[in-house]
Amino acid sequence: MWEGRGLWVWLLFLCAALGGVSAVMQKAHRRHLSLHRHRERGKEGQVLHRSKRGWVWNQFFVIEEYTGPDPVLVGRLHSDVDSGDGNIKYILSGEGAGTIFVIDDKTGNIHATKTLDREEQAQYTLTAQAVARDTNKPLEPPSEFIVKVQDINDNPPEFLHGPYYARVPEMSNVGTSVITVTASDADDPTYGNSARLVYSILQGQPYFSVEPQTGVIRTALPNMDREARQEYDVVIQAKDMGGHMGGLSGITEVKITLTDVNDNPPKFPQSVYNMAISEDKVPGEEVGRLKAKDLDLGENGLVEYRFVEGDGMGVLEISKDSETQEAVIKLKRTVDYETKKTYTVKVEASNPHVDSRFMAWGPYKDTATVKVNVEDADEPPVFMLPSYTFEVDENAPSGTPVGRVHAMDTDTSNNPVRYMIPRYTDLGQFFTITPEDGFIKTTQPLDRENQAWHNISVSATEIGGHHQDAKVRVNIKVKDVNDNAPEFATNNEVLVCENGTQTYPHPLIETVSAIDKDEMAHQQHFHFSLAPEAAKNHNFSLKDNRDSTASVYVTRKGFNRMTQSIYMLPIEINDNGSPPMSSTNTLTIRVCSCDSKDTILSCNVEPFVLPAGLSTGALIAILACIVILLAIVVLFVALRRQKKEPLIVFEEEDIRENIITYDDEGGGEEDTEAFDIATLQNPDGANGFLPRKDIKPELQFPLRPGLRPVANSVDVDDFIKTRISDADNDPTAPPYDSIQIYGYEGRGSIAGSLSSLESVTTDSDLDYDYLQSWGPRFRKLADLYGTKDADDNS
């Protein structure tokens, strides 16, 4: 602040009342101080200086939510250095300066250009400064002031956590607290009554009430019964302005549920229950059920049942079905119609959890009488025990007694009983039973290691009456006998490194253990030793650790797997059973190639003899590929040769073999291998089978008796019939015959032969020159007949 100058500050603020807006200007006078420095001496003679204030003002106020057409005048700033000549410029900075608040740089009037909401921001901090208009040089130090937004009642109360859900025990006293509902109002609680809330109940009377100031909901009626009505919908209102007219309000819903208490005793629907049970029922059979009803829920509705009195308490028992809450009456022991026909018991139902507040309402229990009638029945035999367990030694000889079962007919007739073992329970037929007395014996020696327990059934059937039968379970245990020798627990190979540090100076290479198929007793153990044939070996040694294990050590410094790669070490194992058993097991030790860290690289000998870079698998694959390629080549050549060779060997000079087409859709005139006509002019071929290349006969059959060689002058018809018969009876021939189709109609035909075979020996005046124009496929035929005719004519 500058000394020697006074500052004037004009403060304007606006107030809203009943919808009108008025501006009030408030002027703050500065305190006149001397232009000169006043010297005040203290107790110690110190001179104090006091500076004059340049700004004097109070807080500015602006009403929120103002919606007038013009900007709101917040206030006016004025400095006493302002002479009114326009040389002073007022500058405003801070929150909202230039956007919400603007200042007239000449007059210092501050206006609010936007509608303000106190709930968004309650006050703004601004800074004002007076500077020279031409040089912008500060004439006064900057001063800070606050513009507060004045609240109006523009926010209704809100229940932020609604709707509410509450529970209250039934039969609660009047005034019992149920739940507290809370509404919030965004208006200023320090200004007027805008945020002063009052609670009231709109729905839910006369059952509930609410405290106006706190919002606590309480019960308003006594003895509200859940069994009559369980749920209530309550509506609560919160109103501001202290609940006066013109205040804003909000509502919320509260769903109140009455929880159950034990206020109802159990009750049987009827006082007497009649039940019946047959005398052939076994203990545990259900006789009947009854249920006492309790209107309460959950733990309060639980009912316990018990017998109070009656002559049936010794033969009957009662329990509860936890799912249905019913009393279940069962047989405790068997009943006999001939002995007693009726039993009576009294059943009591009570609540295990009783509320002491309602004890005065009466006893929480009820009773009913149950009458049980015994019905007569033809009962099957009854075994003396529900099940039997016997023991028999392993390997006991056939016919060894195992035990005896006993059953009897409980009817008055007391019929005799016969016993048998159902085969489906003893598939191996290891046991037999004496039908008259029930003695069980073995039929063969039993092996415990194969089957330690035999669970069979024995059936007892009464002789006479309705042939009732009963079955009982018989469990037979086979007692162990030491009849199995111990053996290695695992049969894994032991791998050692040749010339490695694994063998020396740490010679331990393996710890072996044993198992025994017999039962292992508590003090049973195994003893290990080298077999006699390996006792003097210089490669390995064995140490019995006396804990049913043994350690194998290396006694030499190195191995050469090229010399020997596998060592077999026989080890003898003995048990201490009765009688003792022993066995010799072989431990396989393989010598492997290792690196400097005794990491095994290879345990095979092949890498030393095979060429570098190729493994055994690769060589086998290469050889297999070569063999396959050779087989393909040989097969291809064989097929080509077979394709070129004719099916039947014949004389190539016979020109008539080219006339071959007999209703055959073959390769045309150029096909000379479909059929062979040479046999017609070679009767000597009838003396035996012609060599054929389309099949490979397994057997060659001689001519059938009665067939004679055909002379050269044989008739063609007879010759064909002979050949057809031979072909039909030849089991080595394929299902077709190449000598079966001939254009021969037989001797003596009126029409004569249509075949061209005889045209060679007859005169013909036909001209075959036209065949030359039929194309290359008929060229051979044209040359054959055309040339023939030319020669004949010449």
Side-chain angles (χ1 to χ4, degrees):
M1 288 183 282
W2 296 354
E3 297 182 2
R5 286 185 185 179
L7 299 177
W8 292 88
V9 179
W10 296 89
L11 174 64
L12 302 178
F13 64 92
L14 303 178
C15 298
L18 299 178
V21 179
S22 63
V24 179
M25 178 183 297
Q26 186 180 43
K27 182 178 181 181
H29 298 278
R30 66 175 178 85
R31 182 177 182 181
H32 294 278
L33 302 177
S34 174
L35 298 177
H36 303 282
R37 296 180 179 178
H38 294 274
R39 296 186 178 183
E40 297 179 0
R41 297 184 180 274
K43 294 181 181 181
E44 299 180 358
Q46 183 181 2
V47 178
L48 302 176
H49 301 278
R50 176 177 292 176
S51 300
K52 296 185 297 180
R53 289 179 64 92
W55 299 94
V56 178
W57 47 28
N58 292 324
Q59 292 179 336
F60 291 170
F61 294 90
V62 61
I63 193 167
E64 70 169 335
E65 304 295 345
Y66 174 70
T67 58
D70 300 325
V72 179
L73 178 61
V74 179
R76 181 182 182 186
L77 300 179
H78 187 74
S79 176
D80 57 359
V81 300
D82 187 1
S83 60
D85 54 3
N87 294 327
I88 302 298
K89 181 172 70 171
Y90 295 96
I91 299 175
L92 187 65
S93 62
E95 294 179 323
T99 56
I100 299 176
F101 302 101
V102 295
I103 188 170
D104 189 336
D105 59 355
K106 294 181 179 180
T107 63
N109 291 336
I110 302 175
H111 292 82
T113 62
K114 295 183 179 180
T115 300
L116 302 180
D117 188 356
R118 189 201 66 83
E119 287 70 39
E120 293 183 2
Q121 188 167 347
Q123 65 181 22
Y124 296 84
T125 302
L126 300 171
T127 302
Q129 189 175 22
V131 300
R133 184 174 297 276
D134 52 352
T135 62
N136 285 332
K137 183 178 180 180
L139 302 178
E140 302 274 347
S143 296
E144 189 178 88
F145 64 95
I146 297 175
V147 177
K148 287 191 174 182
V149 182
Q150 186 175 349
D151 183 51
I152 65 172
N153 188 21
D154 59 342
N155 291 281
E158 292 183 357
F159 291 91
L160 301 180
H161 303 288
Y164 294 87
Y165 297 91
R167 300 164 67 89
V168 64
E170 64 174 333
M171 300 297 174
S172 296
N173 297 327
V174 175
T176 302
S177 176
V178 179
I179 191 175
T180 300
V181 296
T182 304
S184 61
D185 196 317
D187 293 324
D188 188 359
T190 63
Y191 181 78
N193 294 327
S194 298
R196 182 184 174 190
L197 305 181
V198 174
Y199 299 92
S200 61
I201 184 168
L202 302 182
Q203 177 181 319
Q205 294 175 328
Y207 306 103
F208 300 95
S209 63
V210 63
E211 294 183 359
Q213 305 301 326
T214 62
V216 177
I217 300 176
R218 300 181 183 276
T219 58
L221 282 182
N223 300 330
M224 287 191 293
D225 191 5
R226 183 200 63 83
E227 287 75 28
R229 182 178 177 182
Q230 185 173 359
E231 293 184 349
Y232 296 85
D233 294 324
V234 179
V235 178
I236 302 297
Q237 174 184 267
K239 190 174 184 180
D240 60 13
M241 299 299 293
H244 297 297
M245 183 176 296
L248 303 178
S249 64
I251 63 173
T252 187
E253 293 183 358
V254 182
K255 183 177 287 294
I256 301 176
T257 303
L258 296 183
T259 58
D260 185 61
V261 297
N262 192 8
D263 58 340
N264 294 282
K267 185 71 176 177
F268 283 108
Q270 57 193 69
S271 59
V272 178
Y273 293 85
N274 293 311
M275 301 179 183
I277 185 69
S278 177
E279 66 171 342
D280 59 354
K281 299 299 181 182
V282 298
E285 289 279 350
E286 182 177 318
V287 179
R289 297 188 175 209
L290 66 159
K291 182 179 180 180
K293 295 182 179 181
D294 193 320
L295 299 179
D296 295 323
L297 298 177
E299 186 180 83
N300 299 318
L302 295 179
V303 180
E304 297 292 340
Y305 302 93
R306 69 186 182 95
F307 288 146
V308 179
E309 59 183 8
D311 57 359
M313 297 178 62
V315 297
L316 301 174
E317 60 183 3
I318 189 170
S319 61
K320 186 183 74 172
D321 189 334
S322 58
E323 293 184 359
T324 62
Q325 295 294 312
E326 292 177 316
V328 181
I329 299 178
K330 296 181 180 180
L331 275 181
K332 187 176 182 180
R333 61 179 179 85
T334 56
V335 292
D336 188 7
Y337 173 80
E338 291 75 19
T339 303
K340 188 174 179 63
K341 298 179 176 59
T342 302
Y343 295 92
T344 302
V345 290
K346 181 176 286 188
V347 180
E348 179 187 84
S350 61
N351 287 136
H353 306 285
V354 179
D355 196 333
S356 58
R357 295 176 300 173
F358 309 106
M359 289 293 295
W361 292 15
Y364 283 80
K365 60 180 65 176
D366 192 19
T367 59
T369 301
V370 178
K371 295 182 179 180
V372 179
N373 297 318
V374 180
E375 298 176 345
D376 190 19
D378 185 11
E379 300 173 283
V382 177
F383 284 95
M384 298 295 102
L385 295 176
S387 64
Y388 293 85
T389 301
F390 303 118
E391 292 183 352
V392 63
D393 290 336
E394 180 181 14
N395 301 324
S398 175
T400 300
V402 177
R404 182 189 181 189
V405 296
H406 181 64
M408 61 179 298
D409 185 9
T410 57
D411 293 331
T412 55
S413 58
N414 194 16
N415 294 322
V417 177
R418 295 184 63 86
Y419 302 92
M420 66 171 293
I421 298 177
R423 287 299 94 186
Y424 66 87
T425 65
D426 184 23
L427 298 177
Q429 299 185 6
F430 296 103
F431 305 96
T432 183
I433 190 170
T434 305
E436 293 79 12
D437 53 16
F439 278 102
I440 301 175
K441 299 180 180 179
T442 62
T443 60
Q444 55 185 293
L446 304 178
D447 186 4
R448 189 204 67 84
E449 288 71 35
N450 185 31
Q451 188 172 352
W453 283 86
H454 295 266
N455 301 317
I456 64 174
S457 295
V458 174
S459 174
T461 305
E462 64 176 88
I463 302 175
H466 293 84
H467 299 283
Q468 296 278 359
D469 64 342
K471 292 182 177 61
V472 70
R473 193 73 174 174
V474 179
N475 304 314
I476 302 174
K477 179 182 179 181
V478 182
K479 296 191 295 184
D480 184 49
V481 174
N482 191 27
D483 58 345
N484 290 277
E487 57 187 14
F488 279 151
T490 59
N491 293 320
N492 298 331
E493 289 185 348
V494 179
L495 306 180
V496 297
C497 294
E498 63 172 346
N499 301 323
T501 59
Q502 180 184 7
T503 59
Y504 189 87
H506 303 288
L508 177 62
I509 60 171
E510 181 70 4
T511 300
V512 295
S513 59
I515 58 174
D516 196 328
K517 294 181 180 179
D518 295 321
E519 285 185 344
M520 295 290 293
H522 178 67
Q523 297 180 350
Q524 185 175 1
H525 66 274
F526 301 110
H527 174 72
F528 297 84
S529 63
L530 291 177
E533 60 270 21
K536 296 182 179 181
N537 81 92
H538 302 288
N539 300 321
F540 308 97
S541 64
L542 182 72
K543 178 184 177 182
D544 191 342
N545 298 325
R546 300 183 181 278
D547 59 354
S548 296
T549 64
S551 301
V552 181
Y553 298 90
V554 176
T555 58
R556 58 184 291 178
K557 190 170 183 180
F559 296 91
N560 186 352
R561 64 193 184 110
M562 295 299 296
T563 303
Q564 184 174 354
S565 61
I566 298 178
Y567 293 86
M568 301 295 182
L569 184 64
I571 299 176
E572 185 176 294
I573 309 175
N574 296 271
D575 62 16
N576 62 340
S578 179
M581 301 293 293
S582 65
S583 66
T584 300
N585 298 261
T586 301
L587 181 66
T588 303
I589 304 173
R590 184 179 295 273
V591 181
C592 302
S593 174
C594 303
D595 58 11
S596 59
K597 297 181 180 180
D598 287 345
T599 300
I600 295 177
L601 301 177
S602 174
C603 293
N604 298 322
V605 183
E606 287 78 6
F608 290 92
V609 297
L610 294 177
L614 290 178
S615 63
T616 304
L619 289 178
I620 293 175
I622 293 173
L623 292 177
C625 293
I626 294 174
V627 171
I628 293 174
L629 290 176
L630 291 177
I632 294 175
V633 171
V634 172
L635 180 62
F636 179 78
V637 173
L639 291 176
R640 290 293 299 272
R641 289 184 177 179
Q642 182 178 2
K643 205 169 187 182
K644 292 181 179 179
E645 293 178 1
L647 297 177
I648 302 177
V649 178
F650 55 89
E651 295 180 4
E652 295 181 356
E653 287 75 14
D654 196 338
I655 195 171
R656 288 171 296 177
E657 67 181 358
N658 291 307
I659 308 174
I660 56 177
T661 303
Y662 302 98
D663 193 21
D664 178 80
E665 297 180 2
E669 289 76 9
E670 295 180 357
D671 189 352
T672 60
E673 296 181 2
F675 300 99
D676 185 10
I677 200 64
T679 310
L680 294 177
Q681 296 300 324
N682 188 15
D684 294 335
N687 296 330
F689 291 103
L690 292 177
R692 300 178 55 175
K693 298 184 178 181
D694 56 339
I695 61 170
K696 184 178 180 181
E698 298 179 359
L699 299 173
Q700 292 293 338
F701 293 90
L703 291 174
R704 292 180 299 145
L707 294 180
R708 295 174 298 174
V710 183
N712 293 340
S713 60
V714 67
D715 184 82
V716 175
D717 184 30
D718 295 337
F719 171 73
I720 292 175
K721 292 180 179 180
T722 301
R723 299 304 293 164
I724 292 175
S725 176
D726 293 341
D728 291 340
N729 293 277
D730 186 5
T732 63
Y736 60 87
D737 196 295
S738 60
I739 312 177
Q740 293 183 12
I741 303 174
Y742 299 97
Y744 179 73
E745 291 80 13
R747 180 181 293 115
S749 174
I750 299 176
S753 175
L754 298 178
S755 175
S756 60
L757 296 177
E758 298 180 356
S759 63
V760 179
T761 58
T762 59
D763 295 336
S764 177
D765 55 356
L766 295 177
D767 186 5
Y768 296 99
D769 292 337
Y770 63 90
L771 296 176
Q772 297 291 341
S773 62
W774 284 14
R777 298 180 64 85
F778 294 90
R779 185 168 300 164
K780 282 190 176 183
L781 187 61
D783 293 343
L784 180 64
Y785 284 90
T787 305
K788 182 72 174 177
D789 294 341
D791 293 341
D792 293 341
N793 293 332
S794 61

